[in-house]
Amino acid sequence: MKEIIEVRLKTRTVDFSKCKTDLLVVGHFSDAKGLDKVNAELNRKLDGAIERLIELGDFEGKEGTSAIVYGNANIGAKRVLLLGLGERKKATPDTIRKTAARAANRAVSMKAKNMSLALHRAVGGRLDPSKMGQACAEGTYFGSFRYDEFVTENENGRPEKLGVEVIESDPSKTKKLSKGVNNGVIIGRAQSYARTLMNRPANIINPVEIAKAAKKLAREHKNLSCTVYDEKKLVAKGMGGILAVGSGSVNKPRLIILEYTPAGRVSPKVPRVGFVGKAITFDSGGISIKPAPNMDQMKLDKTGGIAVLCTMKAVAELGLGVHVLGLIPSAENLPGGSSYRPGDIITTFSKKTVEVLNTDAEGRMVMCDALHYADKENCDIIIDIATLTGACKVALGCYMAGLMGNDEKLIKQLQRAAVDSGEKVWPMPSGDEYAKEMKSKIADLRNIGSKWGGACTAAAFLRQFVGERKWAHLDIAGVDIFEKGTETSAEGSSGFGVRLLTSFLMNLAAK
Ligand code: BES
Ligand code: MN
Ligand code: ZN
């Protein structure tokens, strides 16, 4: 199997025009009055080529647009890639992140061996340099990511390595920038690892394999520990939800428990956080089987769980001062002679009983056991993340995740993290009206609501299992996948969640 593209990223102090590179990446705002310092210097050495490009109207600096100018003997770069940053006042770290992703995607496609980013320079002092370094690094990993570990033909080959540097001519600025770059490298790598695992099909990765990956992670990071409940332990604990969903497959279910304990003293003000991520390695729907078209996409039904796994990796490497429990209930939802059935009544870990009316509403069945576990483990805050409902995809499309919860402050904190990370969320309800639909006549709960508001009723179901804890729910059905490749990304898994959850923790730990 091929490794993913090895991206090496560093920060370097060098004169922009002297920098020797295959691709020098600079930004330009659509409403800029003339060229900024870097572009002006390059323009001079390129005999006015950048100015001519703009005067001719070939490049206006609109977000998403680009132009290439070839180097000459006066500059070190073979090519200068100008990328549009849009309007100056609208620029955020995410503008830089997306632009870096666009550059990295291009660099890989043109088989460049190296790339030098001077994007932060156009923004000037308006945004925090460390945040910009982070955005450059995250964007670089995001855009250069390819999933081709099973492609054995070399014709469509891509470079094995990409050397990337964030460059700055002023040595007094390099330090802050490089701190951000280093954080961004950790987060970007964690997200790329997540995308690799998420993209792996169900014949390669199953609950046992995810558990192995978690164990390996814990071995490699001394602040992480890992416990795995196998099917016997799940029976002993009474985790009926996870067992029911896993009963139809030869690949047995697991509950994976990762714990991050920070090295130093943790401020008592910092809450203990529990993440719960849905990891259905394949969701056929079970006995309530799904239609055939696009069923292959249901290999991505483990996205939430992998996002939790890789957030734990990032947190451990960042060494954040916050205690985190990462719970990953994992099962394969298949029809078979031993599958759970519509009509079955399942006793969950919490002792609450659930009437199963559709075996395709399996996410909530595995999540409820893990949520109750998080409650019992005294997590002050519980955040769950799951490709839970097609209804959420219908409501929000592929651009943002649904965000539900029972605590306004927590909702705000997640909205903040969404802005910081560029992984967007949108608030949705999950209160009493929806909870009422989830009551059964012959058990405590039923696993589906009425025809309408499916994302909200699903969240209302989960809400029953968090006790009095502060809780938020992210429905990431829709944002888990790029059905087609984009300017900033290859097609397939988006890795959604790793940046969002890590940003949330970074903000908490910064308190
Ligand atoms: N994993 C699916 C949700 C999903 C759908 C994710 C499309 C990504 C894209 C989930 O397990 C599911 O099947 N939900 C059902 C619930 C229904 C039976 C109440 C759905 O959305 O149809
Ligand atoms: Mn399902
Ligand atoms: Zn599912």
Side-chain angles (χ1 to χ4, degrees), residues 15-24 42 45-46 71-80 114:
D15 272 351
F16 296 101
S17 60
K18 285 189 190 140
C19 176
K20 279 204 167 64
T21 178
D22 285 353
L23 193 64
L24 174 60
L42 290 167
K45 301 204 167 165
L46 290 167
N72 62 11
N74 302 328
I75 72 165
K78 288 184 192 153
R79 309 175 185 87
V80 177
N114 51 64

Side-chain angles (χ1 to χ4, degrees), residues 12 40 49 84 95-96 129 140 202 206 218 227 230 252 260 303 318 400 404 418 426 430 442 450 459-460 494:
R12 187 159 71 104
T95 312
I96 298 296
T140 297
N206 53 44
T227 310
D230 63 9
K252 296 298 169 207
Y260 168 71
T303 295
L318 291 167
M400 27 196 111
M404 291 80 160
W426 197 258
S430 65
I442 59 169
S450 67
S494 66

Side-chain angles (χ1 to χ4, degrees), residues 278 280 283 301 360 362 387:
K278 168 177 171 182
I280 300 299
D283 180 13
D301 213 20
D360 198 11
E362 85 298 337
T387 45

Side-chain angles (χ1 to χ4, degrees), residues 278 280 283-286 288 290 298 301 333 340 358-363 387-388:
K278 168 177 171 182
I280 300 299
D283 180 13
S284 70
S288 316
K290 287 181 181 293
M298 284 301 127
D301 213 20
N333 190 21
Y340 79 137
N358 190 319
T359 61
D360 198 11
E362 85 298 337
T387 45
L388 202 64

Side-chain angles (χ1 to χ4, degrees), residues 121-355:
R121 255 318 184 95
V123 183
R126 215 171 62 76
L127 299 171
D128 175 3
S130 148
K131 286 262 160 65
M132 283 211 279
Q134 187 184 329
C136 281
E138 290 175 0
T140 297
Y141 278 95
F142 197 80
S144 62
F145 178 81
R146 298 290 186 273
Y147 180 69
D148 56 5
E149 60 180 346
F150 291 103
V151 179
T152 61
E153 294 166 359
N154 283 323
E155 292 89 83
N156 298 326
R158 40 78 174 166
E160 279 173 19
K161 286 179 193 159
L162 179 66
V164 183
E165 51 182 15
V166 176
I167 58 168
E168 171 56 60
S169 61
D170 178 352
S172 72
K173 288 186 179 145
T174 313
K175 204 177 158 202
K176 270 199 148 178
L177 196 62
S178 114
K179 195 171 160 247
V181 168
N182 294 344
N183 286 345
V185 167
I186 289 173
I187 299 164
R189 283 177 57 101
Q191 185 159 48
S192 288
Y193 180 51
R195 294 173 83 180
T196 296
L197 296 182
M198 289 163 181
N199 276 320
R200 281 189 186 152
N203 63 324
I204 302 298
I205 194 164
N206 53 44
V208 173
E209 289 301 317
I210 297 181
K212 277 189 200 158
K215 285 269 184 198
K216 180 164 173 272
L217 202 65
R219 274 200 306 278
E220 291 164 353
H221 297 81
K222 67 177 193 309
N223 291 337
L224 276 185
S225 67
C226 178
T227 310
V228 174
Y229 287 4
D230 63 9
E231 63 273 22
K232 283 189 214 108
K233 187 80 190 220
L234 291 168
V235 171
K237 288 278 175 183
M239 295 189 160
I242 300 175
L243 284 163
V245 176
S247 62
S249 174
V250 290
N251 297 313
K252 296 298 169 207
R254 294 289 183 265
L255 174 65
I256 300 154
I257 304 160
L258 280 160
E259 185 166 9
Y260 168 71
T261 315
R265 200 187 70 94
V266 179
S267 152
K269 270 188 267 167
V270 178
R272 184 179 150 88
V273 178
F275 289 139
V276 178
K278 168 177 171 182
I280 300 299
T281 52
F282 187 69
D283 180 13
S284 70
I287 299 290
S288 316
I289 198 162
K290 287 181 181 293
N294 299 324
M295 205 205 271
D296 59 289
Q297 291 182 1
M298 284 301 127
K299 70 172 186 176
L300 289 175
D301 213 20
K302 58 189 178 293
T303 295
I306 302 295
V308 167
L309 179 82
C310 295
T311 300
M312 299 304 282
K313 173 178 159 73
V315 173
E317 290 169 15
L318 291 167
L320 297 182
V322 48
H323 202 121
V324 191
L325 201 59
L327 303 171
I328 306 166
S330 185
E332 185 174 38
N333 190 21
L334 291 183
S338 54
S339 295
Y340 79 137
R341 298 151 284 246
D344 284 2
I345 296 176
I346 305 298
T347 301
T348 65
F349 184 40
S350 70
K351 297 280 161 21
K352 284 190 165 78
T353 54
V354 181
E355 182 189 6

